[in-house]
Amino acid sequence: MCNIPIEDKRNYIDWDSYMNSKGEEIKVKNNEPGIVWKDAVTDTWFYLSNEKYNEYINRIVENFGGGLDSHGKVSFEYKKICDFYDIKNFSKLKSLPWRYAEKEKKPAVVDVCRLFVLFAWLYGEVDKDSRINAYKSFFEGSFDNYPKAYNAVKALTSENSIKINQDKEIILIKGGAYKIKKYYLENSKIHDIRGASIIIKHLTEDLIPQEVFESYIEEAVIYSGGGNIFAVVDSDLKKVIEVIGKCEKIIDDYAITLENVFCYYKSSIYNLIENYRDEMKKFDIEIEQKKKLKIYNNIYTRSSLLNNSIKIGNEQIKIECREELTGDAESGACKRCNTKEALYKVDTPDGQECICGSCLHKLKIGRKCKSSFNKDLEDYINKANLQGISFSMPKEIEDIKDSKGYISVIYGDGNNFGKIVNSLENIYEMMYFSRMVYMTSFEATCKAILDSNYSLQNEKKNLKPFELIALGGDDIFLICPAENSMCFSKHLITEFNKKFREVIATDKENNKITLSIGIAVGKYNNPVRNLFEMAESKLLSAKRLERELASKGQNNGSVDIVVVKGTSYVDFISEQSMFPMDNDSFGEFLKLVNKMKSSEIKKSRIQNLVRAKQQMEEESEFQLYFLYNDCKQKDKNKLEKWMKENYFSKGIYRFEAGMMVKDISEIEGKSVRCNVWKDILDIWDFCKGGVSI
Ligand SMILES: [Zn+2]
Ligand SMILES: [Zn+2]
């Protein structure tokens, strides 16, 4: 077995101490006999003593007693174990490895026992109702009744020495929603956006997996979340087509306009285990093909749930209207989204309106249900022992606005995830990875919210209202008050990078996971959809910069912003801005602006410089103006001097005669000169809390 060979000189982290660490130093391995393994995703080497390993396994088995619940789901109570050990992070415990795996990278116990039961079911060694026995045998280590499933698990977890000795045809099912952002933003009402977010979560975490549980078994679902599902089922094609049809109908019923596709792929247990990457690649190509073939009716959106009552969480929601309309030209366009035919007359918080079916569902669900993220955040705050911090859900976008009436729409996306997904070698690495990505992004977001001056705003410790619309894997989409959104973004990038660095080690710096963010700041009465589109285009330019920096090994996350004053979008491209910026430069820049705000330098002075710069065609003309003007100032007001004393760039800019200068390293002597005053003015009102960075 895997007892440590004496000559082994690796640095092992003691898994037990890592699990229970509350910030103190994590121990390395001691000399007790134990097992060692390499984390499936992070490549970290761990050690766990045999004694401790058995203790953890016993806890799992003890808590296993419940059998199957009323939905046929196995009660696998990690939560109880976590409470016992007082562990805040579930995903950590879920990384407890299966010691009998012969690979360096061992699967998590929680994944491999499910796979074992799935294989047993596929081979006909166990039926749906007696799965609990297969689980028990798995933990007892008595595999006699399940020789084929055991062989499959051994083949999956050994280095090529063991092969599948009896193959079996299977079918893979993959599918879900896409163009999700478009669905969220069909209209700009916060309740409806929240409703859309709740609908998608309900579909992919409850309804779609339930459909697969009921048609097959719980273990058939390998992954479900963020709008997508992946399942492994038996080779009955007729049934698969039926189930796929049902899944598509569920989405069409609930989220009428949400584009979705479900596909199947004929495979075998051998190919799933031995050719995992190739099989997934081929499958993905087929999915892309099918997406192109689907046609959506996005004009007439009749609700098939009308007058039905649906249950989401603890809420019972009736989908109803005052009057059903014929949908002829007279009823006109939907009052809320403006693009689809109005088919229902309903009472809304904005008065009686004629709206479409898609908006009807979002409206009813968004008004009744609490954003599920807010519930998760509440849990996080309680677990982190931050009792006393409270936050309230915004009722309208207006509730999010800061004292000057501004909100920020923030759209973030991780860099380099694709590379890691493509490098996953087998099905259990994928199970482990998808679980870990969600937990890590979630924790980074919570921490950034709490750290960035959202907390401790006043003595009552009320968090500023914000709306987290989507958190799917590495995607983060939220609306918050603008006044401290710059610092929040800086915290979020730093936290995200740090947390992923803890969990995903890569051999190359430029492959490391970082976050890029696009921020659109505007008045609260700007349509959210417009702000989102701007944030999205800023995210793209931030990601472009990050790719450039990655090629030099200087990637640390990036950010780009647009500030819309009033309600019209002014073209900022004509002014050479310092944005997009890497995260380190961004942090320096926020510090600079905050220092300036607390100095003698007045905002009006910066405004004058911006105006002067706009009027002068030549840069040299502006520089002369700047230096001449600066000479006339009293000593404490001299900007050239102040900037040189206060701007210590760790980043890529330096200050020179009234401009920020960035050298373009590829071209000798070539540099870009940026209008720093415009950038300072842009974020002047939105960088509260910057000192604490
Ligand atoms: Zn509508
Ligand atoms: Zn992404």
PDB file of all heavy atoms in Angstrom, residues 323-343:
ATOM      1  N   GLU A 323     -55.522  39.035 -16.760  1.00  0.00           N
ATOM      2  CA  GLU A 323     -56.224  38.788 -18.021  1.00  0.00           C
ATOM      3  C   GLU A 323     -55.229  38.258 -19.052  1.00  0.00           C
ATOM      4  O   GLU A 323     -54.104  38.754 -19.139  1.00  0.00           O
ATOM      5  CB  GLU A 323     -56.821  40.113 -18.525  1.00  0.00           C
ATOM      6  CG  GLU A 323     -57.771  39.982 -19.689  1.00  0.00           C
ATOM      7  CD  GLU A 323     -58.140  41.362 -20.257  1.00  0.00           C
ATOM      8  OE1 GLU A 323     -58.245  42.321 -19.453  1.00  0.00           O
ATOM      9  OE2 GLU A 323     -58.279  41.475 -21.469  1.00  0.00           O
ATOM     10  N   GLU A 324     -55.651  37.246 -19.807  1.00  0.00           N
ATOM     11  CA  GLU A 324     -54.789  36.741 -20.870  1.00  0.00           C
ATOM     12  C   GLU A 324     -55.118  37.487 -22.160  1.00  0.00           C
ATOM     13  O   GLU A 324     -56.286  37.640 -22.506  1.00  0.00           O
ATOM     14  CB  GLU A 324     -55.029  35.239 -21.056  1.00  0.00           C
ATOM     15  CG  GLU A 324     -53.751  34.479 -21.318  1.00  0.00           C
ATOM     16  CD  GLU A 324     -53.968  32.970 -21.398  1.00  0.00           C
ATOM     17  OE1 GLU A 324     -54.832  32.438 -20.680  1.00  0.00           O
ATOM     18  OE2 GLU A 324     -53.272  32.347 -22.201  1.00  0.00           O
ATOM     19  N   LEU A 325     -54.092  37.949 -22.855  1.00  0.00           N
ATOM     20  CA  LEU A 325     -54.326  38.737 -24.066  1.00  0.00           C
ATOM     21  C   LEU A 325     -54.150  37.861 -25.303  1.00  0.00           C
ATOM     22  O   LEU A 325     -53.496  36.822 -25.254  1.00  0.00           O
ATOM     23  CB  LEU A 325     -53.359  39.923 -24.119  1.00  0.00           C
ATOM     24  CG  LEU A 325     -53.311  40.792 -22.854  1.00  0.00           C
ATOM     25  CD1 LEU A 325     -52.177  41.796 -22.938  1.00  0.00           C
ATOM     26  CD2 LEU A 325     -54.644  41.498 -22.640  1.00  0.00           C
ATOM     27  N   THR A 326     -54.714  38.320 -26.409  1.00  0.00           N
ATOM     28  CA  THR A 326     -54.666  37.489 -27.617  1.00  0.00           C
ATOM     29  C   THR A 326     -53.306  37.550 -28.302  1.00  0.00           C
ATOM     30  O   THR A 326     -52.936  36.667 -29.063  1.00  0.00           O
ATOM     31  CB  THR A 326     -55.726  37.953 -28.628  1.00  0.00           C
ATOM     32  OG1 THR A 326     -55.537  39.360 -28.818  1.00  0.00           O
ATOM     33  CG2 THR A 326     -57.126  37.672 -28.126  1.00  0.00           C
ATOM     34  N   GLY A 327     -52.552  38.607 -28.036  1.00  0.00           N
ATOM     35  CA  GLY A 327     -51.240  38.713 -28.671  1.00  0.00           C
ATOM     36  C   GLY A 327     -51.314  39.279 -30.075  1.00  0.00           C
ATOM     37  O   GLY A 327     -50.369  39.159 -30.844  1.00  0.00           O
ATOM     38  N   ASP A 328     -52.439  39.894 -30.408  1.00  0.00           N
ATOM     39  CA  ASP A 328     -52.490  40.556 -31.716  1.00  0.00           C
ATOM     40  C   ASP A 328     -51.809  41.914 -31.599  1.00  0.00           C
ATOM     41  O   ASP A 328     -51.340  42.311 -30.535  1.00  0.00           O
ATOM     42  CB  ASP A 328     -53.939  40.694 -32.204  1.00  0.00           C
ATOM     43  CG  ASP A 328     -54.809  41.382 -31.164  1.00  0.00           C
ATOM     44  OD1 ASP A 328     -54.267  42.221 -30.411  1.00  0.00           O
ATOM     45  OD2 ASP A 328     -56.005  41.065 -31.088  1.00  0.00           O
ATOM     46  N   ALA A 329     -51.766  42.622 -32.679  1.00  0.00           N
ATOM     47  CA  ALA A 329     -51.007  43.871 -32.728  1.00  0.00           C
ATOM     48  C   ALA A 329     -51.450  44.863 -31.645  1.00  0.00           C
ATOM     49  O   ALA A 329     -50.652  45.644 -31.148  1.00  0.00           O
ATOM     50  CB  ALA A 329     -51.152  44.503 -34.103  1.00  0.00           C
ATOM     51  N   GLU A 330     -52.716  44.798 -31.246  1.00  0.00           N
ATOM     52  CA  GLU A 330     -53.234  45.803 -30.323  1.00  0.00           C
ATOM     53  C   GLU A 330     -52.576  45.786 -28.949  1.00  0.00           C
ATOM     54  O   GLU A 330     -52.396  46.813 -28.326  1.00  0.00           O
ATOM     55  CB  GLU A 330     -54.748  45.628 -30.155  1.00  0.00           C
ATOM     56  CG  GLU A 330     -55.530  46.528 -31.095  1.00  0.00           C
ATOM     57  CD  GLU A 330     -56.966  46.081 -31.213  1.00  0.00           C
ATOM     58  OE1 GLU A 330     -57.646  46.026 -30.173  1.00  0.00           O
ATOM     59  OE2 GLU A 330     -57.373  45.758 -32.333  1.00  0.00           O
ATOM     60  N   SER A 331     -52.247  44.593 -28.476  1.00  0.00           N
ATOM     61  CA  SER A 331     -51.677  44.545 -27.134  1.00  0.00           C
ATOM     62  C   SER A 331     -50.243  45.072 -27.113  1.00  0.00           C
ATOM     63  O   SER A 331     -49.731  45.459 -26.075  1.00  0.00           O
ATOM     64  CB  SER A 331     -51.748  43.124 -26.559  1.00  0.00           C
ATOM     65  OG  SER A 331     -51.356  42.189 -27.522  1.00  0.00           O
ATOM     66  N   GLY A 332     -49.585  45.071 -28.255  1.00  0.00           N
ATOM     67  CA  GLY A 332     -48.282  45.719 -28.362  1.00  0.00           C
ATOM     68  C   GLY A 332     -47.151  44.942 -27.708  1.00  0.00           C
ATOM     69  O   GLY A 332     -47.277  43.752 -27.410  1.00  0.00           O
ATOM     70  N   ALA A 333     -46.036  45.650 -27.472  1.00  0.00           N
ATOM     71  CA  ALA A 333     -44.852  44.993 -26.925  1.00  0.00           C
ATOM     72  C   ALA A 333     -44.940  44.924 -25.405  1.00  0.00           C
ATOM     73  O   ALA A 333     -45.610  45.726 -24.770  1.00  0.00           O
ATOM     74  CB  ALA A 333     -43.602  45.752 -27.337  1.00  0.00           C
ATOM     75  N   CYS A 334     -44.241  43.940 -24.847  1.00  0.00           N
ATOM     76  CA  CYS A 334     -44.169  43.748 -23.397  1.00  0.00           C
ATOM     77  C   CYS A 334     -43.634  45.017 -22.734  1.00  0.00           C
ATOM     78  O   CYS A 334     -42.638  45.583 -23.170  1.00  0.00           O
ATOM     79  CB  CYS A 334     -43.260  42.563 -23.096  1.00  0.00           C
ATOM     80  SG  CYS A 334     -42.781  42.418 -21.377  1.00  0.00           S
ATOM     81  N   LYS A 335     -44.312  45.447 -21.688  1.00  0.00           N
ATOM     82  CA  LYS A 335     -43.944  46.686 -21.007  1.00  0.00           C
ATOM     83  C   LYS A 335     -42.570  46.580 -20.332  1.00  0.00           C
ATOM     84  O   LYS A 335     -41.886  47.566 -20.132  1.00  0.00           O
ATOM     85  CB  LYS A 335     -45.020  46.998 -19.951  1.00  0.00           C
ATOM     86  CG  LYS A 335     -44.905  48.351 -19.288  1.00  0.00           C
ATOM     87  CD  LYS A 335     -45.405  49.457 -20.208  1.00  0.00           C
ATOM     88  CE  LYS A 335     -44.862  50.837 -19.842  1.00  0.00           C
ATOM     89  NZ  LYS A 335     -45.084  51.270 -18.481  1.00  0.00           N
ATOM     90  N   ARG A 336     -42.172  45.371 -19.992  1.00  0.00           N
ATOM     91  CA  ARG A 336     -40.938  45.218 -19.215  1.00  0.00           C
ATOM     92  C   ARG A 336     -39.705  44.968 -20.079  1.00  0.00           C
ATOM     93  O   ARG A 336     -38.648  45.507 -19.819  1.00  0.00           O
ATOM     94  CB  ARG A 336     -41.107  44.116 -18.161  1.00  0.00           C
ATOM     95  CG  ARG A 336     -42.157  44.490 -17.115  1.00  0.00           C
ATOM     96  CD  ARG A 336     -42.409  43.405 -16.110  1.00  0.00           C
ATOM     97  NE  ARG A 336     -41.573  43.503 -14.916  1.00  0.00           N
ATOM     98  CZ  ARG A 336     -41.791  44.348 -13.920  1.00  0.00           C
ATOM     99  NH1 ARG A 336     -42.790  45.194 -13.984  1.00  0.00           N
ATOM    100  NH2 ARG A 336     -41.013  44.354 -12.859  1.00  0.00           N
ATOM    101  N   CYS A 337     -39.829  44.115 -21.112  1.00  0.00           N
ATOM    102  CA  CYS A 337     -38.636  43.824 -21.916  1.00  0.00           C
ATOM    103  C   CYS A 337     -38.665  44.530 -23.264  1.00  0.00           C
ATOM    104  O   CYS A 337     -37.635  44.637 -23.934  1.00  0.00           O
ATOM    105  CB  CYS A 337     -38.467  42.321 -22.128  1.00  0.00           C
ATOM    106  SG  CYS A 337     -39.746  41.595 -23.156  1.00  0.00           S
ATOM    107  N   ASN A 338     -39.869  44.969 -23.665  1.00  0.00           N
ATOM    108  CA  ASN A 338     -39.975  45.750 -24.887  1.00  0.00           C
ATOM    109  C   ASN A 338     -39.688  45.016 -26.183  1.00  0.00           C
ATOM    110  O   ASN A 338     -39.703  45.619 -27.245  1.00  0.00           O
ATOM    111  CB  ASN A 338     -39.003  46.938 -24.823  1.00  0.00           C
ATOM    112  CG  ASN A 338     -39.771  48.228 -24.786  1.00  0.00           C
ATOM    113  OD1 ASN A 338     -40.734  48.379 -25.538  1.00  0.00           O
ATOM    114  ND2 ASN A 338     -39.394  49.115 -23.895  1.00  0.00           N
ATOM    115  N   THR A 339     -39.355  43.732 -26.124  1.00  0.00           N
ATOM    116  CA  THR A 339     -38.979  43.047 -27.359  1.00  0.00           C
ATOM    117  C   THR A 339     -39.967  41.955 -27.732  1.00  0.00           C
ATOM    118  O   THR A 339     -39.993  41.517 -28.867  1.00  0.00           O
ATOM    119  CB  THR A 339     -37.588  42.405 -27.229  1.00  0.00           C
ATOM    120  OG1 THR A 339     -37.594  41.552 -26.092  1.00  0.00           O
ATOM    121  CG2 THR A 339     -36.510  43.450 -27.069  1.00  0.00           C
ATOM    122  N   LYS A 340     -40.757  41.480 -26.770  1.00  0.00           N
ATOM    123  CA  LYS A 340     -41.673  40.380 -27.064  1.00  0.00           C
ATOM    124  C   LYS A 340     -43.118  40.869 -26.992  1.00  0.00           C
ATOM    125  O   LYS A 340     -43.388  41.929 -26.441  1.00  0.00           O
ATOM    126  CB  LYS A 340     -41.423  39.238 -26.070  1.00  0.00           C
ATOM    127  CG  LYS A 340     -40.043  38.614 -26.265  1.00  0.00           C
ATOM    128  CD  LYS A 340     -39.717  37.553 -25.248  1.00  0.00           C
ATOM    129  CE  LYS A 340     -39.047  38.094 -24.015  1.00  0.00           C
ATOM    130  NZ  LYS A 340     -37.720  38.666 -24.264  1.00  0.00           N
ATOM    131  N   GLU A 341     -44.018  40.073 -27.551  1.00  0.00           N
ATOM    132  CA  GLU A 341     -45.428  40.443 -27.521  1.00  0.00           C
ATOM    133  C   GLU A 341     -45.975  40.385 -26.098  1.00  0.00           C
ATOM    134  O   GLU A 341     -45.690  39.442 -25.357  1.00  0.00           O
ATOM    135  CB  GLU A 341     -46.239  39.466 -28.384  1.00  0.00           C
ATOM    136  CG  GLU A 341     -46.082  39.676 -29.868  1.00  0.00           C
ATOM    137  CD  GLU A 341     -46.873  40.866 -30.389  1.00  0.00           C
ATOM    138  OE1 GLU A 341     -47.974  41.146 -29.864  1.00  0.00           O
ATOM    139  OE2 GLU A 341     -46.374  41.497 -31.331  1.00  0.00           O
ATOM    140  N   ALA A 342     -46.778  41.372 -25.740  1.00  0.00           N
ATOM    141  CA  ALA A 342     -47.449  41.343 -24.442  1.00  0.00           C
ATOM    142  C   ALA A 342     -48.593  40.343 -24.519  1.00  0.00           C
ATOM    143  O   ALA A 342     -49.413  40.394 -25.431  1.00  0.00           O
ATOM    144  CB  ALA A 342     -47.967  42.724 -24.091  1.00  0.00           C
ATOM    145  N   LEU A 343     -48.623  39.389 -23.589  1.00  0.00           N
ATOM    146  CA  LEU A 343     -49.659  38.355 -23.623  1.00  0.00           C
ATOM    147  C   LEU A 343     -50.469  38.293 -22.331  1.00  0.00           C
ATOM    148  O   LEU A 343     -51.471  37.594 -22.263  1.00  0.00           O
ATOM    149  CB  LEU A 343     -49.016  36.981 -23.885  1.00  0.00           C
ATOM    150  CG  LEU A 343     -48.268  36.836 -25.218  1.00  0.00           C
ATOM    151  CD1 LEU A 343     -47.547  35.499 -25.284  1.00  0.00           C
ATOM    152  CD2 LEU A 343     -49.220  36.978 -26.399  1.00  0.00           C
TER     153      LEU A 343
END
